[in-house]
Amino acid sequence: MKKATCVLVLLSLFLHQGELYAQNNNLELSKYISLNEKMTEHSFTVDVVGDVIQFSLRINCDLTSGDAVIELIDPAGKKQGKFSVVASDSGSYQSRGKLERNIDSPINGVWVVRIVAKSAKGNVYIRSQQEYAK
Amino acid sequence: MNRLFFAFLLSGFEFFFCASINNASPSKQNLRGGIHGRIMLDSSWSRVIYLSLIPNMNERFTMTHAYIIDKAEIDSEGNFQFNTAYLPKEEALYRIHVVKKEDPAASLIIGGRDENFHLLIASSKDSIFLDGTEGFSKAKLLGSSANFRMQEIKQWVSYGDSSTFDGSPVKRELIVNAIDEKLRQLADTNRQALVALYALYCSDFETHRKNNPLYYSDFLEKWKNEDSEYYALFRSQVGSSARFNSFFWISIILIIAALFVGVEFGKRRAKGPELVGGTELLSVQQLKIYKLLQEGKTNKEISEEYNIGVNTVKSHVSSILNKLKLKSRREAMDDV
């Protein structure tokens, strides 16, 4: 009994602090990506399934050096947003880019956030939210 | 039905957007020179405004410190001014942006209530006023027809991106397609080079150009004297593709034509004398005599060769010439 309680508590803590969080007809996903000079490409996917009223996406990119191109691609392969962040070579100037998209009745399927980085140091934080019909 | 639907959509956009843009009375314009304006910002924003020169249309959503060319203080009443006398005489694409207090100077926020930038077209001789008294993201650019159009384009694109309309993904797609068509119409009819180009970049031209290369070759032909970096990049992106398409189809047609001619020529060569009459019309005996005719042998020599009478040979030769539609023995020799 003690073990079961412990597992339940740990599981609830994990779900609360982890990447997946579901509450009140909302499904949230978040991802923190640390960019280093070796990493060149990274993708974050969100599977939009069912009767989603609104799909919201926030992308935040901070760089201290190098550059990164970030694209949002819908399940049909069409670009739904794109921005680039370029930091100074010396690292003396930080650059920041944010993209916010709220899409009503999104196309079902896999939405992709594609990050292509070049000699980049910094981080990308992505947060998506799907709101379902009650 | 579809046409009516699109016509309704487009007329709706016209009414909605023109009404909202025209609300900005010209009397509000401040007629000082340069880029200036008045904006209302809450306390979360820094009291500095930045001016960036955007080198090409692909970089309009690129944030880097390297593009920032100037900054100005926003006074307690929200006024700011950039002296633009040092800007190039030619029109170029610029971006003005503000930043949150915790953000670095090179910060770009795209979409949402906190969108922090406006793109504008300016030159050293322009006087442009930014009326941001209803908030920076809702600010209106006054003082030039180019920037009036830029704002119109921005509103169309925002409408397609916005979450304020209900409906299925199909309806959204129809609206986005209608907006793309509207942008292409504007690009086609607008007399301001950078505005026309900006409209195309805001449309889904990368997909559209694949099936409509002529539209883009016509567009480039119209602006062939534009030698700015903006057009140079667009030519490299689209022009090569349009030229490639024409070249590709012309090459395909030429190759097919060459193959057709080659095959026909080959057939005719293989048939040989059939060009004239057709050796299949000749009997076995006539075919033998015909071969000797081609060798230039006389009637007597042929009669001796096959041990037949000269008159019989003459009769065969006459028949051969008729069947092969040859005028003389000489033509038979030339057919070798």
Side-chain angles (χ1 to χ4, degrees):
Chain A
M1 184 65 187
K2 269 187 179 178
K3 274 187 179 176
T5 312
C6 191
V7 167
L8 279 173
V9 168
L10 285 173
L11 191 64
S12 69
L13 278 172
F14 173 76
L15 286 176
H16 193 72
Q17 293 180 352
E19 292 183 349
L20 181 66
Y21 178 57
Q23 193 182 39
N24 294 335
N25 301 307
N26 280 332
L27 179 66
E28 284 187 24
L29 278 170
S30 61
K31 178 96 174 174
Y32 181 89
I33 300 163
S34 182
L35 299 175
N36 57 54
E37 288 175 345
K38 288 178 188 170
M39 202 190 96
T40 54
E41 197 164 332
H42 197 98
S43 290
F44 172 74
T45 57
V46 184
D47 203 357
V48 175
V49 186
D51 192 11
V52 179
I53 300 171
Q54 192 181 61
F55 174 51
S56 305
L57 196 79
R58 311 275 181 279
I59 306 169
N60 194 339
C61 176
D62 274 306
L63 291 187
T64 52
S65 67
D67 61 77
V69 179
I70 295 156
E71 292 175 327
L72 171 64
I73 301 157
D74 73 14
K78 196 172 175 182
K79 251 180 244 166
Q80 293 288 349
K82 181 182 175 181
F83 70 97
S84 315
V85 180
V86 182
S88 63
D89 293 335
S90 61
S92 51
Y93 294 110
Q94 190 187 353
S95 292
R96 179 172 292 172
K98 294 179 187 178
L99 175 71
E100 184 179 327
R101 288 297 311 268
N102 297 305
I103 300 160
D104 273 354
S105 307
I107 309 172
N108 277 18
V110 178
W111 289 71
V112 181
V113 176
R114 190 162 155 258
I115 304 155
V116 179
K118 200 169 138 190
S119 308
K121 275 185 188 172
N123 61 72
V124 179
Y125 179 69
I126 306 162
R127 183 166 166 258
S128 77
Q129 186 175 20
Q130 294 177 57
E131 189 185 337
Y132 287 88
K134 287 181 183 174
Chain B
M1 182 63 189
N2 279 344
R3 279 187 181 179
L4 280 174
F5 178 64
F6 280 112
F8 168 74
L9 273 179
L10 295 177
S11 61
F13 293 147
E14 292 271 13
F15 175 77
F16 174 76
F17 294 126
C18 288
S20 65
I21 287 170
N22 289 336
N23 278 341
S25 159
S27 65
K28 287 182 181 174
Q29 290 181 37
N30 184 329
L31 296 175
R32 287 182 294 174
I35 300 168
H36 55 285
R38 191 171 185 213
I39 52 176
M40 292 296 121
L41 296 170
D42 65 39
S43 58
S44 66
W45 296 89
S46 169
R47 307 295 295 179
V48 180
I49 186 163
Y50 298 90
L51 178 68
S52 301
L53 173 61
I54 310 299
N56 65 63
M57 295 283 177
N58 276 349
E59 305 291 314
R60 65 195 191 281
F61 298 123
T62 295
M63 179 42 87
T64 171
H65 207 275
Y67 291 168
I68 299 175
I69 55 171
D70 205 355
K71 65 179 182 179
E73 278 192 28
I74 303 166
D75 70 19
S76 56
E77 292 181 344
N79 297 307
F80 70 91
Q81 172 140 27
F82 290 109
N83 182 352
T84 52
Y86 65 92
L87 295 184
K89 285 178 186 172
E90 298 78 26
E91 287 190 327
L93 186 68
Y94 295 89
R95 181 172 61 209
I96 48 177
H97 78 275
V98 289
V99 296
K100 292 270 186 181
K101 278 178 179 168
E102 70 272 17
D103 285 346
S107 292
L108 192 66
I109 304 172
I110 305 162
R113 287 179 187 172
D114 286 340
E115 186 161 89
N116 71 336
F117 70 97
H118 287 280
L119 291 167
L120 63 146
I121 291 169
S123 69
S124 58
K125 57 182 184 290
D126 286 336
S127 173
I128 296 164
F129 182 74
L130 182 83
D131 179 3
T133 47
E134 292 175 20
F136 186 79
S137 63
K138 293 176 184 171
K140 298 173 186 77
L141 285 161
L142 309 170
S144 86
S145 60
N147 289 306
F148 173 84
R149 286 294 178 203
M150 292 287 283
Q151 290 233 290
E152 196 175 36
I153 291 166
K154 185 181 178 180
Q155 285 182 314
W156 292 349
V157 175
S158 300
Y159 186 76
D161 289 345
S162 76
S163 60
T164 52
F165 56 84
D166 297 323
S168 67
V170 176
K171 183 183 173 185
R172 170 183 291 278
E173 195 180 338
L174 288 172
I175 290 171
V176 169
N177 288 344
I179 291 170
D180 272 355
E181 186 56 38
K182 189 81 180 154
L183 289 167
R184 283 190 287 272
Q185 275 178 19
L186 192 146
D188 206 22
T189 54
N190 199 279
R191 290 180 181 179
Q192 290 150 320
L194 281 186
V195 174
L197 191 62
Y198 179 72
L200 276 191
Y201 270 91
C202 288
S203 71
D204 186 14
F205 80 89
E206 287 177 355
T207 306
H208 185 255
R209 71 176 173 171
K210 288 173 190 162
N211 298 322
N212 302 276
L214 273 181
Y215 174 90
Y216 295 91
S217 50
D218 287 350
F219 181 85
L220 289 176
E221 178 62 24
K222 180 181 170 185
W223 296 108
K224 64 184 174 188
N225 295 327
E226 271 300 315
D227 56 358
S228 69
E229 286 297 316
Y230 303 100
Y231 270 83
L233 179 71
F234 187 67
R235 277 187 198 101
S236 69
Q237 282 183 280
V238 169
S240 56
S241 158
R243 279 196 299 275
F244 171 78
N245 262 298
S246 309
F247 178 75
F248 176 78
W249 287 115
I250 289 168
S251 303
I252 290 289
I253 289 165
L254 285 176
I255 288 168
I256 289 171
L259 281 174
F260 180 77
V261 168
V263 167
E264 280 301 306
F265 184 72
K267 274 183 186 172
R268 291 185 182 200
R269 270 191 72 100
K271 284 182 180 175
E274 283 177 22
L275 274 174
V276 184
T279 50
E280 72 273 10
L281 301 172
L282 305 180
S283 66
V284 177
Q285 184 73 347
Q286 286 171 344
L287 199 58
K288 287 177 183 172
I289 293 168
Y290 176 65
K291 281 178 183 168
L292 294 178
L293 271 179
Q294 287 184 314
E295 289 170 14
K297 296 203 170 170
T298 62
N299 288 347
K300 194 179 177 187
E301 286 169 333
I302 294 168
S303 73
E304 285 170 358
E305 179 101 16
Y306 291 123
N307 201 22
I308 53 176
V310 175
N311 286 337
T312 309
V313 173
K314 279 181 184 172
S315 168
H316 277 310
V317 169
S318 173
S319 182
I320 288 166
L321 295 178
N322 276 336
K323 283 181 179 176
L324 299 181
K325 295 177 185 169
L326 298 172
K327 288 176 184 170
S328 64
R329 302 165 71 98
R330 171 67 65 187
E331 273 192 30
M333 288 167 69
D334 290 345
D335 278 344
V336 176

